[in-house]
Amino acid sequence: MTLLAPSTDRAADAWRHSSVLVVDDEQGMRNFLEKTLAPRCGEVHGADSAESAEALARTHRYDLVILDIALPGKNGIALLRELREHGYSGEVILITAFADLDTAIEALRAGASDFILKPFRVTQLLNSVQQCLERSRLARENYVLRRTISQRTPPFAGLVGQSTQMVDLQRSLLRVAQVTSTVLLSGESGTGKELAALALHRHSPRANGPFVPVNCAVMSPELIESELFGHAKGAFTGATKSRDGLFYYAQGGTLFLDEIGELPLTLQATLLRVLDDRRIRPVGSEQQVPVDVRIIAATNRSLAAEVAAGRFRADLYYRLQVVEIALPSLREHKQDIPALVEHFITTLAPQLGVEPIEVTSEELDYLQQYHWPGNVRELRNLIERSLILGSLNVSALYQGLPPAPPAAGKATDLHTLEKQHILSVLESVQGDKTRAARLLGISRRTLERRCAEWSLS
């Protein structure tokens, strides 16, 4: 199935999602700048003094400030210094009718992005604004890229298979990608929920915007609010400067909230308000920042059961469940295992710098006989280990048991195979569940549930 992503103009997106503050005491100039920028930018505010600008900056988050130097009372350079001291990190264009080299140097030292002399042409102003907004967009994209690389976001090509289940899944993703509704992805750990979220993003009208993945299960409950919504300088111990949150960095794109069931109840209420109001408030700040972000959430547990147990808000559950897509476990589409094995060998061998391995039909029989508690992630990890060793490491799946192909006529209890495999991996790492879960390709929480089912400590 061929999926084609629509393209959008990134420069136009940068303008449309930008917020601009114009500070000039001359009403005619201020009105001219506001009317010039309002049709192009998402939000444009005006202020006639430094004091008015400071009041607006306390309650709004601006990507760009266009600032006249000659203001009544506190001048523009002094205002710029104070904005920087209070944590403003956006772009600033200084404009003035009277300037010399010393003033220009002072403006740049104060943190100005550009310096324009009055009178100026509209094209000159718009070129400067475009450069500033482009720098702001690139800074956001670089942050998201560094974060994505650090988390090793998997490639979209991992959604491999021609089984009925996978074809149905691809069709659902393609259909849902075209709308802006919130999506809830459900399925066991390792089934590829992040790949599905990335597919929804890449084939949506937001494809040129950022894709920001967030794993709620690994984020500290004390810091998750700051990570998502940002914080002001001095909001808590250690907050030496203000910081934008992941909602801001996902502006114009998609925010993927993995393991949404791990979100603390207090944050669930905040997230619900953001979904309704489309505005965020950084921790310790009075700012109300408008956001244009599509939310895709994922869970490996039943949120309906979590709601019944009082661990998840019912109103947030129904708000997220506008569209729900369930991802099949690998056990449900084992006929895709040969294609997945070929895909992982083809993609991982060059990355590891090793020769591809050959997999026999008998070995594929063993793989298709196995229960795969860690789903596609466990299969990928097996292929990666096998590439390093130089041959398919089938014995890793059947430690302690002599594997027999289905043709041998021996009945195989898949649950017993799963239990034997997990216990042998746990024994090999001296009971370290974190390392065992990593080797198995499942989450530690899933491993602990398995152990609890078998009454193991």
Side-chain angles (χ1 to χ4, degrees), residues 263-298:
L263 202 66
L265 278 169
T266 53
L267 262 295
Q268 292 177 26
T270 305
L271 177 60
L272 178 64
R273 188 167 60 250
V274 171
L275 291 174
D276 290 337
D277 299 342
R278 294 291 166 179
R279 289 179 176 271
I280 60 171
R281 186 174 70 84
V283 177
S285 171
E286 300 175 23
Q287 294 180 347
Q288 293 289 331
V289 185
V291 289
D292 176 18
V293 174
R294 184 187 192 180
I295 299 296
I296 299 175

PDB file of all heavy atoms in Angstrom, residues 263-298:
ATOM      1  N   LEU A 263       0.121   9.174  33.357  1.00  0.00           N
ATOM      2  CA  LEU A 263       0.061  10.597  33.685  1.00  0.00           C
ATOM      3  C   LEU A 263      -0.633  10.789  35.032  1.00  0.00           C
ATOM      4  O   LEU A 263      -1.719  10.248  35.253  1.00  0.00           O
ATOM      5  CB  LEU A 263      -0.698  11.340  32.588  1.00  0.00           C
ATOM      6  CG  LEU A 263      -0.459  12.843  32.449  1.00  0.00           C
ATOM      7  CD1 LEU A 263       0.979  13.104  32.019  1.00  0.00           C
ATOM      8  CD2 LEU A 263      -1.433  13.438  31.434  1.00  0.00           C
ATOM      9  N   PRO A 264      -0.023  11.537  35.974  1.00  0.00           N
ATOM     10  CA  PRO A 264      -0.656  11.755  37.284  1.00  0.00           C
ATOM     11  C   PRO A 264      -2.032  12.400  37.135  1.00  0.00           C
ATOM     12  O   PRO A 264      -2.275  13.162  36.192  1.00  0.00           O
ATOM     13  CB  PRO A 264       0.335  12.696  37.996  1.00  0.00           C
ATOM     14  CG  PRO A 264       1.639  12.480  37.308  1.00  0.00           C
ATOM     15  CD  PRO A 264       1.307  12.174  35.882  1.00  0.00           C
ATOM     16  N   LEU A 265      -2.915  12.120  38.072  1.00  0.00           N
ATOM     17  CA  LEU A 265      -4.284  12.635  38.006  1.00  0.00           C
ATOM     18  C   LEU A 265      -4.333  14.157  37.926  1.00  0.00           C
ATOM     19  O   LEU A 265      -5.163  14.726  37.209  1.00  0.00           O
ATOM     20  CB  LEU A 265      -5.089  12.138  39.223  1.00  0.00           C
ATOM     21  CG  LEU A 265      -5.659  10.721  39.120  1.00  0.00           C
ATOM     22  CD1 LEU A 265      -6.179  10.256  40.460  1.00  0.00           C
ATOM     23  CD2 LEU A 265      -6.766  10.669  38.068  1.00  0.00           C
ATOM     24  N   THR A 266      -3.442  14.835  38.675  1.00  0.00           N
ATOM     25  CA  THR A 266      -3.452  16.304  38.642  1.00  0.00           C
ATOM     26  C   THR A 266      -3.109  16.821  37.244  1.00  0.00           C
ATOM     27  O   THR A 266      -3.683  17.803  36.774  1.00  0.00           O
ATOM     28  CB  THR A 266      -2.440  16.871  39.651  1.00  0.00           C
ATOM     29  OG1 THR A 266      -1.149  16.264  39.421  1.00  0.00           O
ATOM     30  CG2 THR A 266      -2.884  16.584  41.069  1.00  0.00           C
ATOM     31  N   LEU A 267      -2.180  16.141  36.567  1.00  0.00           N
ATOM     32  CA  LEU A 267      -1.801  16.544  35.210  1.00  0.00           C
ATOM     33  C   LEU A 267      -2.882  16.179  34.205  1.00  0.00           C
ATOM     34  O   LEU A 267      -3.009  16.828  33.160  1.00  0.00           O
ATOM     35  CB  LEU A 267      -0.479  15.895  34.821  1.00  0.00           C
ATOM     36  CG  LEU A 267       0.767  16.761  34.974  1.00  0.00           C
ATOM     37  CD1 LEU A 267       0.732  17.938  34.033  1.00  0.00           C
ATOM     38  CD2 LEU A 267       0.940  17.232  36.402  1.00  0.00           C
ATOM     39  N   GLN A 268      -3.667  15.132  34.507  1.00  0.00           N
ATOM     40  CA  GLN A 268      -4.756  14.760  33.608  1.00  0.00           C
ATOM     41  C   GLN A 268      -5.763  15.903  33.497  1.00  0.00           C
ATOM     42  O   GLN A 268      -6.272  16.198  32.410  1.00  0.00           O
ATOM     43  CB  GLN A 268      -5.437  13.491  34.107  1.00  0.00           C
ATOM     44  CG  GLN A 268      -4.565  12.243  34.007  1.00  0.00           C
ATOM     45  CD  GLN A 268      -5.248  11.017  34.584  1.00  0.00           C
ATOM     46  OE1 GLN A 268      -6.479  10.951  34.620  1.00  0.00           O
ATOM     47  NE2 GLN A 268      -4.467  10.052  35.045  1.00  0.00           N
ATOM     48  N   ALA A 269      -6.046  16.560  34.619  1.00  0.00           N
ATOM     49  CA  ALA A 269      -6.980  17.690  34.601  1.00  0.00           C
ATOM     50  C   ALA A 269      -6.412  18.838  33.777  1.00  0.00           C
ATOM     51  O   ALA A 269      -7.134  19.493  33.004  1.00  0.00           O
ATOM     52  CB  ALA A 269      -7.275  18.148  36.035  1.00  0.00           C
ATOM     53  N   THR A 270      -5.108  19.092  33.927  1.00  0.00           N
ATOM     54  CA  THR A 270      -4.468  20.173  33.169  1.00  0.00           C
ATOM     55  C   THR A 270      -4.499  19.868  31.682  1.00  0.00           C
ATOM     56  O   THR A 270      -4.787  20.738  30.858  1.00  0.00           O
ATOM     57  CB  THR A 270      -3.014  20.359  33.636  1.00  0.00           C
ATOM     58  OG1 THR A 270      -2.997  20.580  35.046  1.00  0.00           O
ATOM     59  CG2 THR A 270      -2.375  21.540  32.934  1.00  0.00           C
ATOM     60  N   LEU A 271      -4.196  18.619  31.316  1.00  0.00           N
ATOM     61  CA  LEU A 271      -4.201  18.229  29.906  1.00  0.00           C
ATOM     62  C   LEU A 271      -5.598  18.372  29.310  1.00  0.00           C
ATOM     63  O   LEU A 271      -5.751  18.836  28.169  1.00  0.00           O
ATOM     64  CB  LEU A 271      -3.707  16.796  29.755  1.00  0.00           C
ATOM     65  CG  LEU A 271      -3.720  16.216  28.338  1.00  0.00           C
ATOM     66  CD1 LEU A 271      -2.832  17.036  27.408  1.00  0.00           C
ATOM     67  CD2 LEU A 271      -3.263  14.756  28.349  1.00  0.00           C
ATOM     68  N   LEU A 272      -6.617  18.006  30.060  1.00  0.00           N
ATOM     69  CA  LEU A 272      -7.991  18.142  29.575  1.00  0.00           C
ATOM     70  C   LEU A 272      -8.308  19.599  29.276  1.00  0.00           C
ATOM     71  O   LEU A 272      -8.918  19.926  28.244  1.00  0.00           O
ATOM     72  CB  LEU A 272      -8.969  17.589  30.611  1.00  0.00           C
ATOM     73  CG  LEU A 272     -10.456  17.710  30.260  1.00  0.00           C
ATOM     74  CD1 LEU A 272     -10.784  16.892  29.017  1.00  0.00           C
ATOM     75  CD2 LEU A 272     -11.316  17.274  31.440  1.00  0.00           C
ATOM     76  N   ARG A 273      -7.872  20.493  30.171  1.00  0.00           N
ATOM     77  CA  ARG A 273      -8.118  21.926  29.963  1.00  0.00           C
ATOM     78  C   ARG A 273      -7.392  22.431  28.716  1.00  0.00           C
ATOM     79  O   ARG A 273      -7.921  23.237  27.945  1.00  0.00           O
ATOM     80  CB  ARG A 273      -7.680  22.710  31.197  1.00  0.00           C
ATOM     81  CG  ARG A 273      -8.061  24.183  31.153  1.00  0.00           C
ATOM     82  CD  ARG A 273      -7.906  24.857  32.497  1.00  0.00           C
ATOM     83  NE  ARG A 273      -6.536  24.797  32.975  1.00  0.00           N
ATOM     84  CZ  ARG A 273      -6.125  24.060  33.993  1.00  0.00           C
ATOM     85  NH1 ARG A 273      -6.987  23.290  34.645  1.00  0.00           N
ATOM     86  NH2 ARG A 273      -4.861  24.083  34.379  1.00  0.00           N
ATOM     87  N   VAL A 274      -6.177  21.942  28.491  1.00  0.00           N
ATOM     88  CA  VAL A 274      -5.415  22.349  27.304  1.00  0.00           C
ATOM     89  C   VAL A 274      -6.117  21.871  26.035  1.00  0.00           C
ATOM     90  O   VAL A 274      -6.206  22.602  25.040  1.00  0.00           O
ATOM     91  CB  VAL A 274      -3.975  21.793  27.372  1.00  0.00           C
ATOM     92  CG1 VAL A 274      -3.245  22.007  26.051  1.00  0.00           C
ATOM     93  CG2 VAL A 274      -3.205  22.465  28.498  1.00  0.00           C
ATOM     94  N   LEU A 275      -6.618  20.635  26.049  1.00  0.00           N
ATOM     95  CA  LEU A 275      -7.314  20.115  24.876  1.00  0.00           C
ATOM     96  C   LEU A 275      -8.569  20.924  24.566  1.00  0.00           C
ATOM     97  O   LEU A 275      -8.936  21.101  23.401  1.00  0.00           O
ATOM     98  CB  LEU A 275      -7.691  18.649  25.104  1.00  0.00           C
ATOM     99  CG  LEU A 275      -6.525  17.650  25.146  1.00  0.00           C
ATOM    100  CD1 LEU A 275      -7.027  16.259  25.513  1.00  0.00           C
ATOM    101  CD2 LEU A 275      -5.800  17.606  23.810  1.00  0.00           C
ATOM    102  N   ASP A 276      -9.224  21.427  25.599  1.00  0.00           N
ATOM    103  CA  ASP A 276     -10.446  22.214  25.400  1.00  0.00           C
ATOM    104  C   ASP A 276     -10.147  23.655  24.997  1.00  0.00           C
ATOM    105  O   ASP A 276     -10.774  24.198  24.089  1.00  0.00           O
ATOM    106  CB  ASP A 276     -11.294  22.198  26.668  1.00  0.00           C
ATOM    107  CG  ASP A 276     -11.925  20.830  26.927  1.00  0.00           C
ATOM    108  OD1 ASP A 276     -12.080  20.068  25.954  1.00  0.00           O
ATOM    109  OD2 ASP A 276     -12.247  20.535  28.093  1.00  0.00           O
ATOM    110  N   ASP A 277      -9.155  24.285  25.672  1.00  0.00           N
ATOM    111  CA  ASP A 277      -8.889  25.709  25.467  1.00  0.00           C
ATOM    112  C   ASP A 277      -7.840  25.989  24.403  1.00  0.00           C
ATOM    113  O   ASP A 277      -7.742  27.107  23.907  1.00  0.00           O
ATOM    114  CB  ASP A 277      -8.425  26.358  26.782  1.00  0.00           C
ATOM    115  CG  ASP A 277      -9.466  26.269  27.882  1.00  0.00           C
ATOM    116  OD1 ASP A 277     -10.643  26.020  27.546  1.00  0.00           O
ATOM    117  OD2 ASP A 277      -9.113  26.429  29.059  1.00  0.00           O
ATOM    118  N   ARG A 278      -7.006  24.974  24.089  1.00  0.00           N
ATOM    119  CA  ARG A 278      -5.897  25.155  23.142  1.00  0.00           C
ATOM    120  C   ARG A 278      -4.943  26.247  23.603  1.00  0.00           C
ATOM    121  O   ARG A 278      -4.387  26.988  22.795  1.00  0.00           O
ATOM    122  CB  ARG A 278      -6.433  25.473  21.739  1.00  0.00           C
ATOM    123  CG  ARG A 278      -7.200  24.317  21.117  1.00  0.00           C
ATOM    124  CD  ARG A 278      -6.276  23.171  20.790  1.00  0.00           C
ATOM    125  NE  ARG A 278      -6.987  21.926  20.500  1.00  0.00           N
ATOM    126  CZ  ARG A 278      -6.398  20.799  20.166  1.00  0.00           C
ATOM    127  NH1 ARG A 278      -5.087  20.741  20.104  1.00  0.00           N
ATOM    128  NH2 ARG A 278      -7.081  19.711  19.930  1.00  0.00           N
ATOM    129  N   ARG A 279      -4.760  26.336  24.903  1.00  0.00           N
ATOM    130  CA  ARG A 279      -3.798  27.262  25.499  1.00  0.00           C
ATOM    131  C   ARG A 279      -3.081  26.558  26.638  1.00  0.00           C
ATOM    132  O   ARG A 279      -3.677  25.734  27.330  1.00  0.00           O
ATOM    133  CB  ARG A 279      -4.470  28.536  26.028  1.00  0.00           C
ATOM    134  CG  ARG A 279      -4.977  29.459  24.932  1.00  0.00           C
ATOM    135  CD  ARG A 279      -5.654  30.700  25.488  1.00  0.00           C
ATOM    136  NE  ARG A 279      -6.044  31.596  24.419  1.00  0.00           N
ATOM    137  CZ  ARG A 279      -5.268  32.555  23.915  1.00  0.00           C
ATOM    138  NH1 ARG A 279      -4.061  32.750  24.448  1.00  0.00           N
ATOM    139  NH2 ARG A 279      -5.678  33.316  22.928  1.00  0.00           N
ATOM    140  N   ILE A 280      -1.799  26.894  26.835  1.00  0.00           N
ATOM    141  CA  ILE A 280      -1.041  26.333  27.944  1.00  0.00           C
ATOM    142  C   ILE A 280      -0.540  27.464  28.826  1.00  0.00           C
ATOM    143  O   ILE A 280      -0.394  28.607  28.377  1.00  0.00           O
ATOM    144  CB  ILE A 280       0.159  25.490  27.452  1.00  0.00           C
ATOM    145  CG1 ILE A 280       1.124  26.348  26.611  1.00  0.00           C
ATOM    146  CG2 ILE A 280      -0.311  24.279  26.668  1.00  0.00           C
ATOM    147  CD1 ILE A 280       2.423  25.643  26.269  1.00  0.00           C
ATOM    148  N   ARG A 281      -0.282  27.144  30.087  1.00  0.00           N
ATOM    149  CA  ARG A 281       0.299  28.122  31.008  1.00  0.00           C
ATOM    150  C   ARG A 281       1.557  27.508  31.609  1.00  0.00           C
ATOM    151  O   ARG A 281       1.487  26.516  32.333  1.00  0.00           O
ATOM    152  CB  ARG A 281      -0.681  28.495  32.119  1.00  0.00           C
ATOM    153  CG  ARG A 281      -0.165  29.614  33.025  1.00  0.00           C
ATOM    154  CD  ARG A 281      -1.232  30.036  34.020  1.00  0.00           C
ATOM    155  NE  ARG A 281      -1.469  29.014  35.021  1.00  0.00           N
ATOM    156  CZ  ARG A 281      -0.733  28.870  36.131  1.00  0.00           C
ATOM    157  NH1 ARG A 281       0.296  29.680  36.358  1.00  0.00           N
ATOM    158  NH2 ARG A 281      -1.019  27.926  36.993  1.00  0.00           N
ATOM    159  N   PRO A 282       2.744  28.061  31.289  1.00  0.00           N
ATOM    160  CA  PRO A 282       3.978  27.529  31.876  1.00  0.00           C
ATOM    161  C   PRO A 282       3.936  27.601  33.401  1.00  0.00           C
ATOM    162  O   PRO A 282       3.298  28.474  33.986  1.00  0.00           O
ATOM    163  CB  PRO A 282       5.064  28.459  31.302  1.00  0.00           C
ATOM    164  CG  PRO A 282       4.469  29.019  30.051  1.00  0.00           C
ATOM    165  CD  PRO A 282       3.005  29.160  30.333  1.00  0.00           C
ATOM    166  N   VAL A 283       4.620  26.671  34.052  1.00  0.00           N
ATOM    167  CA  VAL A 283       4.668  26.609  35.512  1.00  0.00           C
ATOM    168  C   VAL A 283       5.270  27.906  36.046  1.00  0.00           C
ATOM    169  O   VAL A 283       6.322  28.356  35.590  1.00  0.00           O
ATOM    170  CB  VAL A 283       5.517  25.412  35.973  1.00  0.00           C
ATOM    171  CG1 VAL A 283       5.624  25.384  37.496  1.00  0.00           C
ATOM    172  CG2 VAL A 283       4.926  24.111  35.454  1.00  0.00           C
ATOM    173  N   GLY A 284       4.591  28.528  37.020  1.00  0.00           N
ATOM    174  CA  GLY A 284       5.097  29.751  37.635  1.00  0.00           C
ATOM    175  C   GLY A 284       4.938  30.986  36.793  1.00  0.00           C
ATOM    176  O   GLY A 284       5.530  32.027  37.093  1.00  0.00           O
ATOM    177  N   SER A 285       4.134  30.929  35.733  1.00  0.00           N
ATOM    178  CA  SER A 285       3.974  32.062  34.829  1.00  0.00           C
ATOM    179  C   SER A 285       2.508  32.449  34.726  1.00  0.00           C
ATOM    180  O   SER A 285       1.608  31.629  34.959  1.00  0.00           O
ATOM    181  CB  SER A 285       4.518  31.716  33.439  1.00  0.00           C
ATOM    182  OG  SER A 285       4.186  32.712  32.493  1.00  0.00           O
ATOM    183  N   GLU A 286       2.263  33.710  34.365  1.00  0.00           N
ATOM    184  CA  GLU A 286       0.905  34.177  34.108  1.00  0.00           C
ATOM    185  C   GLU A 286       0.556  34.081  32.626  1.00  0.00           C
ATOM    186  O   GLU A 286      -0.568  34.368  32.227  1.00  0.00           O
ATOM    187  CB  GLU A 286       0.752  35.637  34.563  1.00  0.00           C
ATOM    188  CG  GLU A 286       1.022  35.863  36.041  1.00  0.00           C
ATOM    189  CD  GLU A 286       0.969  37.339  36.412  1.00  0.00           C
ATOM    190  OE1 GLU A 286       0.324  38.098  35.664  1.00  0.00           O
ATOM    191  OE2 GLU A 286       1.577  37.731  37.422  1.00  0.00           O
ATOM    192  N   GLN A 287       1.514  33.700  31.803  1.00  0.00           N
ATOM    193  CA  GLN A 287       1.299  33.661  30.361  1.00  0.00           C
ATOM    194  C   GLN A 287       0.276  32.596  29.975  1.00  0.00           C
ATOM    195  O   GLN A 287       0.254  31.504  30.533  1.00  0.00           O
ATOM    196  CB  GLN A 287       2.603  33.381  29.628  1.00  0.00           C
ATOM    197  CG  GLN A 287       3.636  34.468  29.733  1.00  0.00           C
ATOM    198  CD  GLN A 287       4.904  34.115  28.968  1.00  0.00           C
ATOM    199  OE1 GLN A 287       5.098  32.978  28.563  1.00  0.00           O
ATOM    200  NE2 GLN A 287       5.756  35.096  28.761  1.00  0.00           N
ATOM    201  N   GLN A 288      -0.548  32.920  28.997  1.00  0.00           N
ATOM    202  CA  GLN A 288      -1.457  31.970  28.373  1.00  0.00           C
ATOM    203  C   GLN A 288      -1.000  31.843  26.916  1.00  0.00           C
ATOM    204  O   GLN A 288      -1.195  32.755  26.120  1.00  0.00           O
ATOM    205  CB  GLN A 288      -2.901  32.444  28.456  1.00  0.00           C
ATOM    206  CG  GLN A 288      -3.467  32.482  29.871  1.00  0.00           C
ATOM    207  CD  GLN A 288      -3.698  31.083  30.426  1.00  0.00           C
ATOM    208  OE1 GLN A 288      -3.957  30.135  29.688  1.00  0.00           O
ATOM    209  NE2 GLN A 288      -3.607  30.952  31.742  1.00  0.00           N
ATOM    210  N   VAL A 289      -0.369  30.745  26.583  1.00  0.00           N
ATOM    211  CA  VAL A 289       0.256  30.576  25.270  1.00  0.00           C
ATOM    212  C   VAL A 289      -0.657  29.752  24.372  1.00  0.00           C
ATOM    213  O   VAL A 289      -0.941  28.589  24.668  1.00  0.00           O
ATOM    214  CB  VAL A 289       1.628  29.865  25.407  1.00  0.00           C
ATOM    215  CG1 VAL A 289       2.326  29.797  24.051  1.00  0.00           C
ATOM    216  CG2 VAL A 289       2.498  30.576  26.433  1.00  0.00           C
ATOM    217  N   PRO A 290      -1.142  30.330  23.252  1.00  0.00           N
ATOM    218  CA  PRO A 290      -1.970  29.541  22.332  1.00  0.00           C
ATOM    219  C   PRO A 290      -1.134  28.471  21.644  1.00  0.00           C
ATOM    220  O   PRO A 290       0.010  28.705  21.257  1.00  0.00           O
ATOM    221  CB  PRO A 290      -2.479  30.585  21.330  1.00  0.00           C
ATOM    222  CG  PRO A 290      -1.502  31.711  21.400  1.00  0.00           C
ATOM    223  CD  PRO A 290      -0.965  31.723  22.802  1.00  0.00           C
ATOM    224  N   VAL A 291      -1.700  27.272  21.491  1.00  0.00           N
ATOM    225  CA  VAL A 291      -0.977  26.178  20.843  1.00  0.00           C
ATOM    226  C   VAL A 291      -1.851  25.557  19.763  1.00  0.00           C
ATOM    227  O   VAL A 291      -3.068  25.425  19.924  1.00  0.00           O
ATOM    228  CB  VAL A 291      -0.541  25.088  21.844  1.00  0.00           C
ATOM    229  CG1 VAL A 291       0.567  25.599  22.737  1.00  0.00           C
ATOM    230  CG2 VAL A 291      -1.709  24.585  22.681  1.00  0.00           C
ATOM    231  N   ASP A 292      -1.213  25.203  18.668  1.00  0.00           N
ATOM    232  CA  ASP A 292      -1.877  24.512  17.562  1.00  0.00           C
ATOM    233  C   ASP A 292      -1.177  23.168  17.411  1.00  0.00           C
ATOM    234  O   ASP A 292      -0.224  23.027  16.651  1.00  0.00           O
ATOM    235  CB  ASP A 292      -1.773  25.344  16.285  1.00  0.00           C
ATOM    236  CG  ASP A 292      -2.374  24.632  15.081  1.00  0.00           C
ATOM    237  OD1 ASP A 292      -3.147  23.681  15.289  1.00  0.00           O
ATOM    238  OD2 ASP A 292      -2.054  25.011  13.942  1.00  0.00           O
ATOM    239  N   VAL A 293      -1.642  22.180  18.162  1.00  0.00           N
ATOM    240  CA  VAL A 293      -0.971  20.887  18.245  1.00  0.00           C
ATOM    241  C   VAL A 293      -2.013  19.776  18.157  1.00  0.00           C
ATOM    242  O   VAL A 293      -3.072  19.861  18.780  1.00  0.00           O
ATOM    243  CB  VAL A 293      -0.195  20.761  19.586  1.00  0.00           C
ATOM    244  CG1 VAL A 293       0.374  19.360  19.750  1.00  0.00           C
ATOM    245  CG2 VAL A 293       0.919  21.790  19.658  1.00  0.00           C
ATOM    246  N   ARG A 294      -1.695  18.743  17.369  1.00  0.00           N
ATOM    247  CA  ARG A 294      -2.556  17.556  17.368  1.00  0.00           C
ATOM    248  C   ARG A 294      -2.028  16.563  18.391  1.00  0.00           C
ATOM    249  O   ARG A 294      -0.831  16.288  18.437  1.00  0.00           O
ATOM    250  CB  ARG A 294      -2.563  16.885  15.988  1.00  0.00           C
ATOM    251  CG  ARG A 294      -3.537  15.705  15.941  1.00  0.00           C
ATOM    252  CD  ARG A 294      -3.436  14.924  14.660  1.00  0.00           C
ATOM    253  NE  ARG A 294      -4.562  13.998  14.533  1.00  0.00           N
ATOM    254  CZ  ARG A 294      -4.741  13.181  13.508  1.00  0.00           C
ATOM    255  NH1 ARG A 294      -3.871  13.169  12.509  1.00  0.00           N
ATOM    256  NH2 ARG A 294      -5.778  12.376  13.466  1.00  0.00           N
ATOM    257  N   ILE A 295      -2.929  16.023  19.210  1.00  0.00           N
ATOM    258  CA  ILE A 295      -2.547  15.074  20.246  1.00  0.00           C
ATOM    259  C   ILE A 295      -2.851  13.643  19.787  1.00  0.00           C
ATOM    260  O   ILE A 295      -3.957  13.338  19.358  1.00  0.00           O
ATOM    261  CB  ILE A 295      -3.305  15.351  21.561  1.00  0.00           C
ATOM    262  CG1 ILE A 295      -2.987  16.759  22.084  1.00  0.00           C
ATOM    263  CG2 ILE A 295      -2.949  14.299  22.609  1.00  0.00           C
ATOM    264  CD1 ILE A 295      -1.546  16.954  22.472  1.00  0.00           C
ATOM    265  N   ILE A 296      -1.816  12.802  19.869  1.00  0.00           N
ATOM    266  CA  ILE A 296      -1.994  11.356  19.691  1.00  0.00           C
ATOM    267  C   ILE A 296      -1.519  10.703  20.983  1.00  0.00           C
ATOM    268  O   ILE A 296      -0.381  10.930  21.407  1.00  0.00           O
ATOM    269  CB  ILE A 296      -1.194  10.822  18.494  1.00  0.00           C
ATOM    270  CG1 ILE A 296      -1.651  11.495  17.191  1.00  0.00           C
ATOM    271  CG2 ILE A 296      -1.347   9.306  18.385  1.00  0.00           C
ATOM    272  CD1 ILE A 296      -0.831  11.097  15.985  1.00  0.00           C
ATOM    273  N   ALA A 297      -2.380   9.946  21.619  1.00  0.00           N
ATOM    274  CA  ALA A 297      -2.033   9.276  22.873  1.00  0.00           C
ATOM    275  C   ALA A 297      -1.974   7.773  22.645  1.00  0.00           C
ATOM    276  O   ALA A 297      -2.577   7.246  21.706  1.00  0.00           O
ATOM    277  CB  ALA A 297      -3.061   9.605  23.957  1.00  0.00           C
ATOM    278  N   ALA A 298      -1.231   7.089  23.500  1.00  0.00           N
ATOM    279  CA  ALA A 298      -1.100   5.635  23.385  1.00  0.00           C
ATOM    280  C   ALA A 298      -1.099   5.004  24.764  1.00  0.00           C
ATOM    281  O   ALA A 298      -0.674   5.618  25.745  1.00  0.00           O
ATOM    282  CB  ALA A 298       0.180   5.265  22.631  1.00  0.00           C
TER     283      ALA A 298
END
